[in-house]
Amino acid sequence: MSLIRDLTDEEARAALVLKWGETEPGVLPAWVAEMDYAIAEPITSALRDAVDRGEVGYPAFVRSGGKLGEAYAGFALRHFEADVPPDRVLPTADVTVGVRIALEVLSERAPMVLPLPAYDPQHGLGRITGREQWDLPVEPDADRYVVDLDELDRLFARGARTLLLTQPHNPAGHVHTREELEGIRDVVVRHGARVVSDEIHAPLVLPGAEFVSYLSLEGTADHAVAVVAASKAFNIPGLKCAQIVTGDDATRDRLVEIPMAQNDSWGSLGVVAAVAAYTEGDPWLAALVERLDQQRMLLGRLLTENLPQARMRPLEATYMAWLDLRAYGHDDPAEVLLRGGVRVSPGQAYWPGLGGHVRLNIATSPERLTEIVRRMAAALTGGRGGGDDGGASGAPPA
Ligand SMILES: Cc1ncc(COP(=O)(O)O)c(C=O)c1O
């Protein structure tokens, strides 16, 4: 039996207070990146034990490594064959905060390059860190999500100093290959620029692709950090504990020395959960990847049958499918789908001004995914059905 347990609608509404709680009853939530699965048993046990012993005070100071660093280093070695010294792993509240701190502390106050589409909160990071954001659109119709190196070169030549990389990519679902990353690195090094690599989705690489951390490439240690977390793969983002991985001691020391108020808000229970996930979560993660692989195949079949004109970028990692629905003639398909009983994320959130695209979260039961696509087809093609059937979402098997 799989270790992945589908939440019933009632359980999901109680557990996922944003994804389900902020979606009208009767509408199927397929938007924010949370999964409709119960969290892994080793994590719940570790959290219960921590609460029982009252470990809810401030987390320990971490100047380097600690339990969390050891746990992440072990995970990175087992899963990515990456050699991460535990004392180069620093805690932070979440990945978005870690990326912001890396920009504020390590990057010159100069424009930051953001490849589009980009995870929506990344769009605010330039503004709040006092840097201009220079967009680098990645051709939405290309078969592969490949950063245009000539354009990157031009942006750095014009004065950009940092690239915000997302590897694997949300919402494109792309896993950059070693060669692609090396191409990016060569341009960055030529300009003496920096990279902040958001690698939150690294554990969610699906069969057929291989994760390479930007930081594991030769010649990146002095100009890059990776920001990682157990939160996305293990469905625990509310616990607030991510990690900044530095490539050398000097960068680590610069981050350790920042004023406390700039990085003091990770949580004790987040540390407990992350350590449990990294050290005891492998079997659950393997089952999750197997389920997500099945879900992406199911989505492919459902689209072929119900929405044959939809184009889906190959989903190499993550559980968010980036769909081009322009053939159905709606500029804002997310709005049409909401009226049809499915809540997805609008493409414009990731690429302001881009019409006709949505991001669909497939981390749910096969029954719900089937119903989601049925409703999408009805809404987009003006057919029957879609959200007016009392909200039955197809309860997952017990
Ligand atoms: C690329 C990327 N970065 C960061 C986050 C958010 O992470 P956190 O909740 O740790 O800030 C997400 C969430 O889906 C994401 O997709």
mmCIF file of all heavy atoms in Angstrom, residues 120-161:
data_model
loop_
_atom_site.group_PDB
_atom_site.id
_atom_site.type_symbol
_atom_site.label_atom_id
_atom_site.label_comp_id
_atom_site.label_asym_id
_atom_site.label_seq_id
_atom_site.Cartn_x
_atom_site.Cartn_y
_atom_site.Cartn_z
ATOM 1 N N ASP A 120 5.197 33.843 -8.388
ATOM 2 C CA ASP A 120 4.668 35.207 -8.195
ATOM 3 C C ASP A 120 5.354 36.047 -7.111
ATOM 4 O O ASP A 120 5.689 37.203 -7.376
ATOM 5 C CB ASP A 120 3.139 35.233 -8.073
ATOM 6 C CG ASP A 120 2.557 34.074 -7.298
ATOM 7 O OD1 ASP A 120 3.290 33.102 -7.055
ATOM 8 O OD2 ASP A 120 1.380 34.139 -6.933
ATOM 9 N N PRO A 121 5.648 35.504 -5.905
ATOM 10 C CA PRO A 121 6.303 36.382 -4.922
ATOM 11 C C PRO A 121 7.695 36.854 -5.346
ATOM 12 O O PRO A 121 8.182 37.874 -4.857
ATOM 13 C CB PRO A 121 6.398 35.510 -3.672
ATOM 14 C CG PRO A 121 5.281 34.547 -3.807
ATOM 15 C CD PRO A 121 5.232 34.230 -5.275
ATOM 16 N N GLN A 122 8.329 36.152 -6.274
ATOM 17 C CA GLN A 122 9.646 36.613 -6.741
ATOM 18 C C GLN A 122 9.535 37.963 -7.440
ATOM 19 O O GLN A 122 10.513 38.716 -7.497
ATOM 20 C CB GLN A 122 10.264 35.584 -7.700
ATOM 21 C CG GLN A 122 10.666 34.287 -7.008
ATOM 22 C CD GLN A 122 11.152 33.219 -7.979
ATOM 23 O OE1 GLN A 122 10.907 33.317 -9.187
ATOM 24 N NE2 GLN A 122 11.820 32.203 -7.459
ATOM 25 N N HIS A 123 8.338 38.278 -7.946
ATOM 26 C CA HIS A 123 8.160 39.558 -8.646
ATOM 27 C C HIS A 123 8.282 40.751 -7.694
ATOM 28 O O HIS A 123 8.478 41.869 -8.149
ATOM 29 C CB HIS A 123 6.809 39.596 -9.359
ATOM 30 C CG HIS A 123 6.757 38.706 -10.569
ATOM 31 N ND1 HIS A 123 7.074 39.144 -11.827
ATOM 32 C CD2 HIS A 123 6.460 37.398 -10.703
ATOM 33 C CE1 HIS A 123 6.961 38.147 -12.689
ATOM 34 N NE2 HIS A 123 6.597 37.078 -12.025
ATOM 35 N N GLY A 124 8.116 40.518 -6.396
ATOM 36 C CA GLY A 124 8.203 41.648 -5.458
ATOM 37 C C GLY A 124 9.596 41.835 -4.879
ATOM 38 O O GLY A 124 9.861 42.822 -4.185
ATOM 39 N N LEU A 125 10.505 40.911 -5.134
ATOM 40 C CA LEU A 125 11.785 40.930 -4.420
ATOM 41 C C LEU A 125 12.696 42.090 -4.831
ATOM 42 O O LEU A 125 13.403 42.649 -3.989
ATOM 43 C CB LEU A 125 12.519 39.600 -4.633
ATOM 44 C CG LEU A 125 11.923 38.433 -3.830
ATOM 45 C CD1 LEU A 125 12.518 37.106 -4.291
ATOM 46 C CD2 LEU A 125 12.164 38.639 -2.343
ATOM 47 N N GLY A 126 12.682 42.427 -6.120
ATOM 48 C CA GLY A 126 13.510 43.548 -6.557
ATOM 49 C C GLY A 126 13.075 44.819 -5.835
ATOM 50 O O GLY A 126 13.897 45.532 -5.245
ATOM 51 N N ARG A 127 11.778 45.060 -5.865
ATOM 52 C CA ARG A 127 11.252 46.304 -5.281
ATOM 53 C C ARG A 127 11.599 46.406 -3.790
ATOM 54 O O ARG A 127 12.107 47.411 -3.329
ATOM 55 C CB ARG A 127 9.739 46.371 -5.506
ATOM 56 C CG ARG A 127 9.108 47.668 -5.088
ATOM 57 C CD ARG A 127 7.812 47.930 -5.874
ATOM 58 N NE ARG A 127 7.076 46.718 -6.218
ATOM 59 C CZ ARG A 127 6.135 46.158 -5.454
ATOM 60 N NH1 ARG A 127 5.815 46.702 -4.307
ATOM 61 N NH2 ARG A 127 5.519 45.071 -5.842
ATOM 62 N N ILE A 128 11.367 45.323 -3.039
ATOM 63 C CA ILE A 128 11.576 45.460 -1.591
ATOM 64 C C ILE A 128 13.050 45.439 -1.200
ATOM 65 O O ILE A 128 13.390 45.817 -0.091
ATOM 66 C CB ILE A 128 10.793 44.409 -0.762
ATOM 67 C CG1 ILE A 128 11.187 42.998 -1.140
ATOM 68 C CG2 ILE A 128 9.301 44.618 -0.857
ATOM 69 C CD1 ILE A 128 10.523 41.960 -0.243
ATOM 70 N N THR A 129 13.917 45.008 -2.113
ATOM 71 C CA THR A 129 15.349 45.072 -1.776
ATOM 72 C C THR A 129 16.024 46.255 -2.465
ATOM 73 O O THR A 129 17.247 46.355 -2.474
ATOM 74 C CB THR A 129 16.086 43.774 -2.180
ATOM 75 O OG1 THR A 129 16.026 43.637 -3.606
ATOM 76 C CG2 THR A 129 15.485 42.550 -1.524
ATOM 77 N N GLY A 130 15.215 47.132 -3.035
ATOM 78 C CA GLY A 130 15.774 48.344 -3.639
ATOM 79 C C GLY A 130 16.532 48.088 -4.933
ATOM 80 O O GLY A 130 17.477 48.798 -5.265
ATOM 81 N N ARG A 131 16.101 47.065 -5.666
ATOM 82 C CA ARG A 131 16.769 46.756 -6.940
ATOM 83 C C ARG A 131 15.742 46.752 -8.058
ATOM 84 O O ARG A 131 14.616 46.310 -7.848
ATOM 85 C CB ARG A 131 17.411 45.368 -6.868
ATOM 86 C CG ARG A 131 18.651 45.350 -6.017
ATOM 87 C CD ARG A 131 19.052 43.958 -5.580
ATOM 88 N NE ARG A 131 20.269 44.044 -4.772
ATOM 89 C CZ ARG A 131 20.294 44.404 -3.493
ATOM 90 N NH1 ARG A 131 19.175 44.658 -2.854
ATOM 91 N NH2 ARG A 131 21.434 44.503 -2.836
ATOM 92 N N GLU A 132 16.152 47.213 -9.224
ATOM 93 C CA GLU A 132 15.240 47.084 -10.364
ATOM 94 C C GLU A 132 15.153 45.624 -10.768
ATOM 95 O O GLU A 132 16.134 44.893 -10.661
ATOM 96 C CB GLU A 132 15.784 47.870 -11.558
ATOM 97 C CG GLU A 132 15.404 49.319 -11.562
ATOM 98 C CD GLU A 132 16.022 50.026 -12.760
ATOM 99 O OE1 GLU A 132 15.974 49.481 -13.881
ATOM 100 O OE2 GLU A 132 16.563 51.119 -12.545
ATOM 101 N N GLN A 133 13.980 45.223 -11.228
ATOM 102 C CA GLN A 133 13.823 43.868 -11.771
ATOM 103 C C GLN A 133 13.852 43.956 -13.290
ATOM 104 O O GLN A 133 13.054 44.657 -13.885
ATOM 105 C CB GLN A 133 12.489 43.297 -11.309
ATOM 106 C CG GLN A 133 12.123 41.977 -11.963
ATOM 107 C CD GLN A 133 10.723 41.542 -11.580
ATOM 108 O OE1 GLN A 133 10.331 41.632 -10.422
ATOM 109 N NE2 GLN A 133 9.950 41.094 -12.557
ATOM 110 N N TRP A 134 14.789 43.245 -13.899
ATOM 111 C CA TRP A 134 14.841 43.210 -15.354
ATOM 112 C C TRP A 134 14.388 41.839 -15.813
ATOM 113 O O TRP A 134 15.009 40.816 -15.471
ATOM 114 C CB TRP A 134 16.263 43.501 -15.857
ATOM 115 C CG TRP A 134 16.643 44.956 -15.719
ATOM 116 C CD1 TRP A 134 15.856 45.968 -15.253
ATOM 117 C CD2 TRP A 134 17.902 45.542 -16.050
ATOM 118 N NE1 TRP A 134 16.539 47.162 -15.280
ATOM 119 C CE2 TRP A 134 17.796 46.934 -15.768
ATOM 120 C CE3 TRP A 134 19.098 45.052 -16.561
ATOM 121 C CZ2 TRP A 134 18.855 47.815 -15.969
ATOM 122 C CZ3 TRP A 134 20.156 45.931 -16.769
ATOM 123 C CH2 TRP A 134 20.029 47.301 -16.477
ATOM 124 N N ASP A 135 13.294 41.811 -16.550
ATOM 125 C CA ASP A 135 12.704 40.544 -16.973
ATOM 126 C C ASP A 135 13.496 39.914 -18.110
ATOM 127 O O ASP A 135 13.997 40.609 -19.000
ATOM 128 C CB ASP A 135 11.264 40.767 -17.448
ATOM 129 C CG ASP A 135 10.356 41.229 -16.313
ATOM 130 O OD1 ASP A 135 10.693 40.971 -15.146
ATOM 131 O OD2 ASP A 135 9.320 41.862 -16.610
ATOM 132 N N LEU A 136 13.556 38.605 -18.076
ATOM 133 C CA LEU A 136 14.166 37.858 -19.182
ATOM 134 C C LEU A 136 13.126 36.824 -19.636
ATOM 135 O O LEU A 136 13.070 35.707 -19.107
ATOM 136 C CB LEU A 136 15.461 37.180 -18.706
ATOM 137 C CG LEU A 136 16.184 36.226 -19.641
ATOM 138 C CD1 LEU A 136 16.294 36.763 -21.056
ATOM 139 C CD2 LEU A 136 17.570 35.920 -19.111
ATOM 140 N N PRO A 137 12.258 37.229 -20.577
ATOM 141 C CA PRO A 137 11.185 36.303 -20.984
ATOM 142 C C PRO A 137 11.756 35.048 -21.628
ATOM 143 O O PRO A 137 12.681 35.121 -22.428
ATOM 144 C CB PRO A 137 10.391 37.118 -22.010
ATOM 145 C CG PRO A 137 10.795 38.534 -21.797
ATOM 146 C CD PRO A 137 12.208 38.496 -21.292
ATOM 147 N N VAL A 138 11.209 33.912 -21.229
ATOM 148 C CA VAL A 138 11.598 32.652 -21.855
ATOM 149 C C VAL A 138 10.419 32.228 -22.722
ATOM 150 O O VAL A 138 9.313 32.024 -22.214
ATOM 151 C CB VAL A 138 11.928 31.573 -20.808
ATOM 152 C CG1 VAL A 138 12.291 30.261 -21.490
ATOM 153 C CG2 VAL A 138 13.077 32.037 -19.919
ATOM 154 N N GLU A 139 10.673 32.171 -24.011
ATOM 155 C CA GLU A 139 9.666 31.881 -25.028
ATOM 156 C C GLU A 139 8.601 30.888 -24.519
ATOM 157 O O GLU A 139 8.904 29.718 -24.257
ATOM 158 C CB GLU A 139 10.404 31.316 -26.258
ATOM 159 C CG GLU A 139 9.535 30.841 -27.387
ATOM 160 C CD GLU A 139 8.489 31.857 -27.793
ATOM 161 O OE1 GLU A 139 8.837 33.011 -28.095
ATOM 162 O OE2 GLU A 139 7.305 31.470 -27.786
ATOM 163 N N PRO A 140 7.341 31.358 -24.353
ATOM 164 C CA PRO A 140 6.339 30.476 -23.739
ATOM 165 C C PRO A 140 5.985 29.273 -24.594
ATOM 166 O O PRO A 140 5.489 28.280 -24.081
ATOM 167 C CB PRO A 140 5.116 31.382 -23.538
ATOM 168 C CG PRO A 140 5.322 32.543 -24.433
ATOM 169 C CD PRO A 140 6.797 32.683 -24.673
ATOM 170 N N ASP A 141 6.247 29.350 -25.894
ATOM 171 C CA ASP A 141 5.872 28.224 -26.756
ATOM 172 C C ASP A 141 7.019 27.276 -27.052
ATOM 173 O O ASP A 141 6.831 26.268 -27.717
ATOM 174 C CB ASP A 141 5.320 28.749 -28.083
ATOM 175 C CG ASP A 141 3.929 29.303 -27.882
ATOM 176 O OD1 ASP A 141 3.205 28.740 -27.058
ATOM 177 O OD2 ASP A 141 3.600 30.317 -28.512
ATOM 178 N N ALA A 142 8.193 27.603 -26.576
ATOM 179 C CA ALA A 142 9.337 26.714 -26.868
ATOM 180 C C ALA A 142 9.115 25.370 -26.185
ATOM 181 O O ALA A 142 8.472 25.291 -25.141
ATOM 182 C CB ALA A 142 10.613 27.353 -26.363
ATOM 183 N N ASP A 143 9.642 24.318 -26.785
ATOM 184 C CA ASP A 143 9.468 23.012 -26.172
ATOM 185 C C ASP A 143 10.251 22.909 -24.875
ATOM 186 O O ASP A 143 9.839 22.248 -23.947
ATOM 187 C CB ASP A 143 9.899 21.901 -27.130
ATOM 188 C CG ASP A 143 8.851 21.701 -28.200
ATOM 189 O OD1 ASP A 143 7.680 22.042 -27.932
ATOM 190 O OD2 ASP A 143 9.197 21.243 -29.296
ATOM 191 N N ARG A 144 11.402 23.540 -24.842
ATOM 192 C CA ARG A 144 12.169 23.536 -23.596
ATOM 193 C C ARG A 144 12.258 24.936 -23.021
ATOM 194 O O ARG A 144 12.309 25.919 -23.750
ATOM 195 C CB ARG A 144 13.581 22.990 -23.828
ATOM 196 C CG ARG A 144 13.576 21.470 -23.967
ATOM 197 C CD ARG A 144 14.968 20.905 -23.991
ATOM 198 N NE ARG A 144 15.689 20.980 -22.718
ATOM 199 C CZ ARG A 144 15.416 20.229 -21.651
ATOM 200 N NH1 ARG A 144 14.430 19.362 -21.676
ATOM 201 N NH2 ARG A 144 16.130 20.345 -20.549
ATOM 202 N N TYR A 145 12.282 24.996 -21.682
ATOM 203 C CA TYR A 145 12.381 26.281 -21.000
ATOM 204 C C TYR A 145 13.863 26.624 -20.900
ATOM 205 O O TYR A 145 14.545 26.210 -19.961
ATOM 206 C CB TYR A 145 11.756 26.153 -19.607
ATOM 207 C CG TYR A 145 11.897 27.370 -18.740
ATOM 208 C CD1 TYR A 145 10.904 28.344 -18.714
ATOM 209 C CD2 TYR A 145 13.017 27.554 -17.942
ATOM 210 C CE1 TYR A 145 11.041 29.458 -17.914
ATOM 211 C CE2 TYR A 145 13.160 28.668 -17.144
ATOM 212 C CZ TYR A 145 12.163 29.612 -17.139
ATOM 213 O OH TYR A 145 12.301 30.723 -16.338
ATOM 214 N N VAL A 146 14.388 27.303 -21.898
ATOM 215 C CA VAL A 146 15.829 27.553 -21.920
ATOM 216 C C VAL A 146 16.099 29.052 -21.875
ATOM 217 O O VAL A 146 15.605 29.819 -22.710
ATOM 218 C CB VAL A 146 16.457 26.943 -23.196
ATOM 219 C CG1 VAL A 146 17.963 27.148 -23.173
ATOM 220 C CG2 VAL A 146 16.151 25.452 -23.272
ATOM 221 N N VAL A 147 16.886 29.445 -20.882
ATOM 222 C CA VAL A 147 17.237 30.855 -20.741
ATOM 223 C C VAL A 147 18.102 31.271 -21.940
ATOM 224 O O VAL A 147 19.041 30.571 -22.311
ATOM 225 C CB VAL A 147 18.020 31.066 -19.421
ATOM 226 C CG1 VAL A 147 18.587 32.465 -19.339
ATOM 227 C CG2 VAL A 147 17.123 30.772 -18.223
ATOM 228 N N ASP A 148 17.751 32.401 -22.537
ATOM 229 C CA ASP A 148 18.503 32.918 -23.686
ATOM 230 C C ASP A 148 19.817 33.523 -23.170
ATOM 231 O O ASP A 148 19.827 34.603 -22.564
ATOM 232 C CB ASP A 148 17.626 33.973 -24.383
ATOM 233 C CG ASP A 148 18.310 34.581 -25.596
ATOM 234 O OD1 ASP A 148 19.553 34.521 -25.679
ATOM 235 O OD2 ASP A 148 17.588 35.124 -26.451
ATOM 236 N N LEU A 149 20.920 32.830 -23.433
ATOM 237 C CA LEU A 149 22.199 33.255 -22.862
ATOM 238 C C LEU A 149 22.686 34.571 -23.448
ATOM 239 O O LEU A 149 23.341 35.363 -22.761
ATOM 240 C CB LEU A 149 23.258 32.153 -23.050
ATOM 241 C CG LEU A 149 22.950 30.831 -22.333
ATOM 242 C CD1 LEU A 149 24.073 29.830 -22.559
ATOM 243 C CD2 LEU A 149 22.722 31.041 -20.835
ATOM 244 N N ASP A 150 22.354 34.824 -24.713
ATOM 245 C CA ASP A 150 22.770 36.101 -25.314
ATOM 246 C C ASP A 150 22.053 37.254 -24.623
ATOM 247 O O ASP A 150 22.633 38.306 -24.354
ATOM 248 C CB ASP A 150 22.451 36.132 -26.815
ATOM 249 C CG ASP A 150 23.312 35.135 -27.569
ATOM 250 O OD1 ASP A 150 24.428 34.842 -27.074
ATOM 251 O OD2 ASP A 150 22.867 34.625 -28.610
ATOM 252 N N GLU A 151 20.776 37.044 -24.348
ATOM 253 C CA GLU A 151 20.005 38.094 -23.683
ATOM 254 C C GLU A 151 20.511 38.285 -22.245
ATOM 255 O O GLU A 151 20.634 39.421 -21.766
ATOM 256 C CB GLU A 151 18.505 37.721 -23.697
ATOM 257 C CG GLU A 151 17.548 38.770 -23.188
ATOM 258 C CD GLU A 151 17.690 40.138 -23.873
ATOM 259 O OE1 GLU A 151 18.208 40.209 -25.005
ATOM 260 O OE2 GLU A 151 17.305 41.151 -23.233
ATOM 261 N N LEU A 152 20.821 37.183 -21.581
ATOM 262 C CA LEU A 152 21.379 37.276 -20.223
ATOM 263 C C LEU A 152 22.681 38.070 -20.262
ATOM 264 O O LEU A 152 22.916 38.955 -19.433
ATOM 265 C CB LEU A 152 21.625 35.859 -19.674
ATOM 266 C CG LEU A 152 22.145 35.768 -18.240
ATOM 267 C CD1 LEU A 152 21.140 36.361 -17.252
ATOM 268 C CD2 LEU A 152 22.447 34.308 -17.858
ATOM 269 N N ASP A 153 23.495 37.772 -21.240
ATOM 270 C CA ASP A 153 24.767 38.469 -21.426
ATOM 271 C C ASP A 153 24.530 39.975 -21.610
ATOM 272 O O ASP A 153 25.203 40.808 -21.001
ATOM 273 C CB ASP A 153 25.455 37.862 -22.658
ATOM 274 C CG ASP A 153 26.881 38.320 -22.792
ATOM 275 O OD1 ASP A 153 27.694 37.953 -21.925
ATOM 276 O OD2 ASP A 153 27.177 39.069 -23.750
ATOM 277 N N ARG A 154 23.531 40.313 -22.428
ATOM 278 C CA ARG A 154 23.224 41.737 -22.687
ATOM 279 C C ARG A 154 22.758 42.433 -21.402
ATOM 280 O O ARG A 154 23.149 43.554 -21.116
ATOM 281 C CB ARG A 154 22.124 41.858 -23.753
ATOM 282 C CG ARG A 154 22.679 41.978 -25.172
ATOM 283 C CD ARG A 154 21.588 42.403 -26.161
ATOM 284 N NE ARG A 154 20.610 41.339 -26.380
ATOM 285 C CZ ARG A 154 20.787 40.333 -27.228
ATOM 286 N NH1 ARG A 154 21.896 40.253 -27.943
ATOM 287 N NH2 ARG A 154 19.865 39.394 -27.380
ATOM 288 N N LEU A 155 21.930 41.729 -20.629
ATOM 289 C CA LEU A 155 21.414 42.354 -19.395
ATOM 290 C C LEU A 155 22.543 42.602 -18.400
ATOM 291 O O LEU A 155 22.596 43.645 -17.750
ATOM 292 C CB LEU A 155 20.313 41.484 -18.773
ATOM 293 C CG LEU A 155 19.022 41.393 -19.593
ATOM 294 C CD1 LEU A 155 18.061 40.358 -19.008
ATOM 295 C CD2 LEU A 155 18.326 42.757 -19.663
ATOM 296 N N PHE A 156 23.452 41.647 -18.282
ATOM 297 C CA PHE A 156 24.598 41.867 -17.386
ATOM 298 C C PHE A 156 25.486 42.990 -17.930
ATOM 299 O O PHE A 156 25.993 43.820 -17.176
ATOM 300 C CB PHE A 156 25.415 40.582 -17.226
ATOM 301 C CG PHE A 156 24.803 39.584 -16.267
ATOM 302 C CD1 PHE A 156 24.814 38.223 -16.554
ATOM 303 C CD2 PHE A 156 24.242 39.987 -15.062
ATOM 304 C CE1 PHE A 156 24.277 37.293 -15.673
ATOM 305 C CE2 PHE A 156 23.698 39.075 -14.179
ATOM 306 C CZ PHE A 156 23.707 37.718 -14.481
ATOM 307 N N ALA A 157 25.664 43.008 -19.260
ATOM 308 C CA ALA A 157 26.516 44.062 -19.848
ATOM 309 C C ALA A 157 25.908 45.443 -19.582
ATOM 310 O O ALA A 157 26.626 46.428 -19.414
ATOM 311 C CB ALA A 157 26.670 43.820 -21.347
ATOM 312 N N ARG A 158 24.563 45.509 -19.517
ATOM 313 C CA ARG A 158 23.894 46.803 -19.272
ATOM 314 C C ARG A 158 23.875 47.184 -17.799
ATOM 315 O O ARG A 158 23.413 48.254 -17.437
ATOM 316 C CB ARG A 158 22.460 46.745 -19.791
ATOM 317 C CG ARG A 158 22.351 47.017 -21.296
ATOM 318 C CD ARG A 158 20.919 46.866 -21.791
ATOM 319 N NE ARG A 158 19.952 47.494 -20.905
ATOM 320 C CZ ARG A 158 18.701 47.084 -20.738
ATOM 321 N NH1 ARG A 158 18.249 46.038 -21.401
ATOM 322 N NH2 ARG A 158 17.888 47.709 -19.920
ATOM 323 N N GLY A 159 24.309 46.267 -16.915
ATOM 324 C CA GLY A 159 24.413 46.654 -15.507
ATOM 325 C C GLY A 159 23.697 45.773 -14.504
ATOM 326 O O GLY A 159 23.749 46.060 -13.302
ATOM 327 N N ALA A 160 23.008 44.723 -14.951
ATOM 328 C CA ALA A 160 22.416 43.802 -13.965
ATOM 329 C C ALA A 160 23.547 43.083 -13.231
ATOM 330 O O ALA A 160 24.620 42.864 -13.800
ATOM 331 C CB ALA A 160 21.520 42.788 -14.670
ATOM 332 N N ARG A 161 23.313 42.732 -11.969
ATOM 333 C CA ARG A 161 24.392 42.111 -11.192
ATOM 334 C C ARG A 161 24.000 40.777 -10.572
ATOM 335 O O ARG A 161 24.841 40.090 -9.988
ATOM 336 C CB ARG A 161 24.848 43.067 -10.062
ATOM 337 C CG ARG A 161 25.362 44.398 -10.545
ATOM 338 C CD ARG A 161 26.583 44.261 -11.458
ATOM 339 N NE ARG A 161 27.748 43.778 -10.734
ATOM 340 C CZ ARG A 161 28.692 42.997 -11.273
ATOM 341 N NH1 ARG A 161 28.602 42.602 -12.522
ATOM 342 N NH2 ARG A 161 29.714 42.614 -10.542
#
